[in-house]
Amino acid sequence: MRILERCGGLTLIETIVFILVVSIASLGVLAAVNVTLLHGSDPLVRKQALTIAESLLEEMQRMPLPGCDADDGGLAGAGWTTDDSTPCAADVAALSGRRDVTAAHAGYHASVRVEPTPLGNAAFSVPDALLITVSVTGPGNEAVRLQGYRTRYALPLP
């Protein structure tokens, strides 16, 4: 019986080719992961921006508007409209604009826009509602925008 001179296994060239193929494939996967990480949003930044936006929206919805609420004596229950036929025009204009974010939230910028808008449909409508839009931008241009409505709490007094 003849003994085979060659034993089974890998040659040096086969091993080098295998290492080369695996390293090229690994580089492709790592490049895809890197692109995803760089262009993906940071969940902590988005969550913080959302928390700031929710807080500002709730603050704006609960803020009393002098002259807008029937029980505050400003319009003596005469309704929402002022001389220029917009709901509480001076108060609404004062609410819109940039809001300062505390030092604990450095890098975040917030703005609030309040505008009169009708709510409802033909069957039921609230003619004088305020649409509140809160926009917060965080680090890396992570933007969050929330909208809510504020309507009159009390009916006019007779």
Side-chain angles (χ1 to χ4, degrees):
M1 184 149 86
R2 182 173 170 207
I3 299 177
L4 295 174
E5 293 178 9
R6 183 169 182 211
C7 297
L10 297 175
T11 64
L12 180 61
I13 293 177
E14 291 172 333
T15 306
I16 291 173
V17 170
F18 173 76
I19 291 172
L20 185 65
V21 168
V22 169
S23 63
I24 291 173
S26 298
L27 286 175
V29 169
L30 289 176
V33 169
N34 190 28
V35 167
T36 303
L37 288 176
L38 289 177
H39 297 294
S41 64
D42 184 5
L44 182 62
V45 171
R46 183 159 182 79
K47 185 173 175 90
Q48 188 65 42
L50 184 61
T51 302
I52 293 169
E54 286 174 342
S55 174
L56 280 174
L57 181 62
E58 183 177 351
E59 178 184 343
M60 299 305 292
Q61 287 175 328
R62 292 179 180 230
M63 184 177 290
L65 297 177
C68 291
D69 292 327
D71 57 352
D72 73 356
L75 291 179
W80 279 61
T81 55
T82 59
D83 292 335
D84 49 358
S85 300
T86 59
C88 316
D91 296 321
V92 170
L95 290 176
S96 296
R98 278 186 76 104
R99 291 290 184 262
D100 292 330
V101 181
T102 64
H105 306 312
Y108 292 88
H109 305 285
S111 66
V112 176
R113 190 175 76 211
V114 181
E115 55 190 336
T117 185
L119 271 181
N121 54 29
F124 174 79
S125 118
V126 177
D128 296 325
L130 300 176
L131 174 63
I132 303 168
T133 304
V134 177
S135 300
V136 177
T137 305
N141 288 329
E142 182 69 34
V144 172
R145 191 179 95 173
L146 295 180
Q147 290 184 322
Y149 290 94
R150 183 185 191 280
T151 60
R152 200 168 172 168
Y153 298 153
L155 295 174
L157 299 173

